[in-house]
Amino acid sequence: MSVKQIEMVLAPRQPHFVGDGFRVHNFIPSGYGLTMQRMDPFIMLDYASKYHFPPTGKPKGVGVHPHRGFETVTIAYKGSVAHHDSAGGGGEIHEGDVQWMTAASGVLHKEYHAESFCATGGDFQMVQLWVNLPAKDKMSTPKYQAISNLDIPKVQVDNGFIELIAGTQYDQKGAASTFTPVNLFNVKLEKGGSANLSFPAHFNTALIVIEGNILVNQTEDVPLDHFLLFKNEGTDFTIQATEKSVVLILSGEPINEPIAPHGPFVMNTRAEIVQAFEDYENGKFGVLED
Ligand code: MN
């Protein structure tokens, strides 16, 4: 084994609102070199740090919009989200749950705070991640995986555990099915707890401190809401919790194909983007009421 080297630690940028329900700090794609190519297959990451919403009778969120060519993954840390799509997928996720929507050939969907959350208000904290699909799967049939926290395999570590949302670690497999090798874990540690993780050197690997404060490789202090990017050198790293902590880990094998992004569509060529707009305008993404 060799130690996975650290490339940089980033503070969260100024937040902005997506719709009226998601107050997010964008990490991918952004300046600082975190391009879609650099983070491939993770092409977008918005982090909604903990934020209090008062009660309301009108659910906040994002209205009907299309996606094609990738998957959207939403991880709920605080609060609850409702989702509906034109392929019939939908439901609510609560604290600890994950929704994994494969837009692939195209869906319309809408994302809102759940009614139960709106009734009481409260703290809201989420991650939304876009995972790219290889060219051969971009036009496959849409699907939806609702992953309850109870169904996420957990691996015990020193003073804590790792939730395997997707991927493999300690010879155990995660809950979600993926098209290419994608690891997505929550590491949950008590103060003083620690975990060792290992991924191939060429996998693009990063983490976000969702709660608490950690030390990576025994030297790098990473505070709350900060993002750490690893170099593509070395395989193994350690996390130690200097407070009770929750850390999101992402590590994926690069797909290494051309990326043509435009708004809600991520394809391989510009012609495919033009086609996506044409198909959207011609109603080929199905029907979903606002
Ligand atoms: Mn969306």
Side-chain angles (χ1 to χ4, degrees):
M1 77 151 244
S2 57
V3 175
K4 196 177 274 300
Q5 302 297 316
I6 294 164
E7 184 161 327
M8 61 181 161
V9 176
L10 295 172
R13 294 145 70 98
Q14 278 294 107
H16 67 276
F17 266 88
V18 177
D20 61 0
F22 303 94
R23 177 187 170 272
V24 303
H25 312 270
N26 173 258
F27 280 114
I28 308 169
S30 70
Y32 319 116
L34 294 178
T35 61
M36 290 183 171
Q37 285 77 11
R38 172 64 184 88
M39 299 309 297
D40 181 18
F42 307 111
I43 48 177
M44 200 286 298
L45 191 149
D46 273 345
Y47 170 50
S49 61
K50 196 186 292 176
Y51 184 77
H52 185 85
F53 285 92
T56 174
K58 188 178 176 298
K60 294 178 186 298
V62 188
V64 175
H65 60 280
H67 290 298
R68 172 181 280 180
F70 58 96
E71 304 183 281
T72 68
V73 179
T74 306
I75 306 167
Y77 293 101
K78 300 280 178 201
S80 306
V81 181
H83 155 99
H84 291 94
D85 68 56
S86 55
E92 281 189 11
I93 58 164
H94 307 285
E95 193 168 325
D97 302 338
V98 176
Q99 60 183 28
W100 197 294
M101 184 189 79
T102 306
S105 65
V107 295
L108 305 177
H109 81 155
K110 54 184 178 180
E111 303 156 90
Y112 282 97
H113 294 184
E115 278 180 23
S116 55
F117 176 81
C118 297
T120 57
D123 284 342
F124 191 87
Q125 188 179 21
M126 305 265 152
V127 163
Q128 188 169 94
L129 179 67
W130 291 4
V131 178
N132 205 5
L133 289 172
K136 69 176 178 53
D137 297 314
K138 279 189 181 290
M139 293 302 282
S140 62
T141 308
K143 66 173 184 176
Y144 181 79
Q145 301 174 72
I147 304 169
S148 149
N149 190 266
L150 289 171
D151 297 328
I152 300 177
K154 291 156 186 85
V155 178
Q156 293 297 317
V157 293
D158 173 30
N159 252 306
F161 58 95
I162 304 176
E163 293 179 346
L164 304 178
I165 298 167
T168 311
Q169 197 74 188
Y170 294 93
D171 294 323
Q172 291 219 48
K173 269 178 71 78
S177 77
T178 64
F179 288 78
T180 60
V182 171
N183 296 284
L184 198 60
F185 309 153
N186 280 315
V187 179
K188 298 188 171 178
L189 301 172
E190 296 300 321
K191 181 177 177 173
S194 66
N196 302 313
L197 292 123
S198 181
F199 303 106
H202 72 287
F203 278 32
N204 290 326
T205 304
L207 61 79
I208 299 176
V209 179
I210 302 292
E211 189 185 314
N213 190 293
I214 60 169
L215 212 51
V216 176
N217 291 343
Q218 302 187 315
T219 51
E220 188 75 41
D221 184 73
V222 192
L224 179 68
D225 296 339
H226 282 53
F227 181 103
L228 181 150
L229 174 66
F230 288 96
K231 290 182 184 173
N232 295 103
E233 283 170 31
T235 53
D236 292 37
F237 63 93
T238 62
I239 292 173
Q240 288 168 283
T242 52
E243 302 169 17
K244 182 181 165 78
S245 296
V246 176
V247 183
L248 174 66
I249 310 276
L250 33 156
S251 181
E253 182 172 52
I255 295 170
N256 284 328
E257 291 176 348
I259 303 174
H262 195 108
F265 308 130
V266 181
M267 303 302 290
N268 299 105
T269 67
R270 179 155 169 76
E272 289 166 348
I273 292 290
V274 172
Q275 185 68 49
F277 276 102
E278 215 175 286
D279 290 349
Y280 173 54
E281 274 157 27
N282 290 327
K284 291 192 179 159
F285 284 57
V287 178
L288 184 67
E289 296 204 354
D290 232 330

